Amino acid sequence: MKQFQFSIILILITSFFYISCKNAIQQQSKPDESLIDPKELNAQFLDSIYLKNLTSQYPFLKNHASEIEAFYFKRNYQLVWFNNSGIIEQASLFVNQLQSTKLELTDSIAGVSITRNMYEALEANSLPAGQWKTLDVLLTNAFLDYADKKWKGMNETSAADLGWYIKRKRLNTAELLDSVTSDPLFLTYYKPLNKQYELLRQYLVRLKMVETKGGLPIIDTLKRSFRIGDTSYAIINIRRWLYKTGFLLNMDTTSKRYDDTLKNSIRILQNSLGLEEDGVTGKALISRMNIPLKERMQQILINLERLRWIETSDTGRHILINIPRFMLYAYQNDTLDWQCNVVVGTTQNKTTIFNGTIRYVVLNPYWNIPNSILFKEVIPGYRKDKNYFLKHNMEVLGPGNVPVKPEDVKWTKYNEDNCPYMVRQLPGKDNPLGVVKFLFPNSYNIYLHDSPSKQYFEKNKRTFSHGCIRVGEPIKLMQWVLQKDRQVTPDKIKSIFASGKETYITLQRGVPVTIAYFTAWVDETGHINFADDVYKLDDAMKKVLFKEPDYNI
C-alpha cells in the first residue's frame, strides 16, 4: 500500500514538473506583446508562412531573413510601416534617405529599386490590393540593409583584414528599426555617424555635380611651374580647377595672369595636399590636380567607409593621429586645440591603426630596444666595433634585470625569439625617445615619444620610424596631457628633467588617442584634404569596395 502511494505521489510530481516546463517553454516562445500598442493593432497580420513565401519570391530577402522573422515575431506579426490609417510618416522619410545611397554606398541596398517602385505605386494609389503587406516587409529589409551598410559598414573581420584595429562602434539594427517606427522624428535627429562623414559626403555630392557638368580641366604640364607674374593659357585651367573644387572664390576664371589671389588659393590647396606652401604651381602639385575625378571620388568613398567604423563623436580631450598626413591633432570636445607634425613607421615597419588611452607620461625614458632592432642593427654593429654598446650609451640586463657585460653574452646562441637578455639605451640627449614618451598600453608595442632627430619633422613625407610615433612638439604635448593634473607642477617637471632619472607619471584621467588612416577629409576651414596612400591601404580597399573594374559611381 505504501509503495502504491509513493508511485502516485511520484506521478503527480512528474506531471507537475512537465506542466511547469511546458508552460515555461510556451511563455518563452510567446511574442513580446509589450511592443504592441492595442490602439494601433492592424486589421491584418503577417505570418511566418507569408514571410517564407516572400523570401522565395524575393531572394534578396535571405540576407536578413532571420532578423526579419524575429522582428515580426516579437510584434505578433503586426505590420511595421502601416497602421490603421495607412502608411506611417517615417516611411516617406526613410524612402527619401534611400535616394542618396547610389552615390555614397558602393554596394546598393538590396531590393532598393523594387521597394521604391512599390512605394511610388502606393503613393499614386496604384499598388494592387494586398501588396502593401509585401511593401511592409521590403521596407523592413531595406532599413536593416541600409543600417548595416551606411551606419555600420563592412564587418569587423573584413576591416581587420584591411589593417584597421580601431574598436568598432556597436549598433543593434533591430532596436533602431523599433525606434524609427515608434518615433516619427527619429530619423531627423538620429546621427550615428561621425560629423566628418556628412562633410565628406557633401563634398562627394559637389564632385558628382562637377562630373555631370564636364568634369575638371586638365592642367598643361609642358611648362615646369607657374608663379607670380607668369601669363599662360594653362593658368585659365588652373583657375577653373580651383573654382570648381572650392579653392578659388573669385568667379573670374578667364584671367591668364598668375596674380596674388591665385597664389593665395594655391597655397591653401598645397596645405590641403600636404605640400610645401610656396604658392608656386609646380610639378608635384600639377600631378595631383590632374588625378582623374573618378579616382578622387573613389578615394572619398573609401574614407566614407572608414568613417562608418568609428564612434560618432568624442567628448573631453582626445588625440587623433592621421598616418597619411603625418599629423597629430589635439582636440577639446569637437574643437581642435592645436596640431603638430609627427613621424610614423616606414612602409616596411608600418604604424598600426588602433586606439587606446594614454595612461602614463615617462620623463627621461630608457629605450628598451626591441629584439628585431637588436639583432638586425645593434648586434651587427657590436661585431664590427666592440665599443658599440659604450659609444651608444647602452646596457645589457640579464634575468632579474641584473647588469651583464656585453662580452659575457654569447650572442650567436640567440635570435629575436629566444633572447633572454634586454638591451636598453640610458636616458640622455642621444636617446632615440628624447626626453619624454607617452604610453597607452597595447599589444602592438606602439607609443608616442620625443626624438633628437628634429630634421625629419620638416620633410613632407615623414615615414622614418620603426613603427612608434615621433612627436614634433613633445613638450607641448606633455603640458597639454598633464594640464588637468594639479599635482604635477612645472617646478616638479623641471626637477625630474634635471635629475636625469627615468620617472613615470600616472595620469589621474587617461587621454584617448586614435591612430587612424584617412586619405580624404574636410578640414576646419571647409576645404577638402587629400593625402597620399603611403601604406597602399586605399589600394587594398579598392579591391573590396569596387569589385568591378569599370565601377560607375
Side-chain angles (χ1 to χ4, degrees), residues 1-17:
M1 183 65 179
K2 290 182 179 180
Q3 185 174 2
F4 175 76
Q5 291 176 337
F6 177 77
S7 299
I8 293 299
I9 293 172
L10 183 62
I11 291 172
L12 291 173
I13 292 174
T14 303
S15 300
F16 172 77
F17 277 108

Side-chain angles (χ1 to χ4, degrees), residues 91-110:
S92 61
L93 292 173
F94 173 56
V95 171
N96 288 337
Q97 287 197 4
L98 284 178
Q99 300 297 327
S100 67
T101 58
K102 184 177 180 181
L103 178 61
E104 64 184 285
L105 296 181
T106 60
D107 186 13
S108 62
I109 304 302

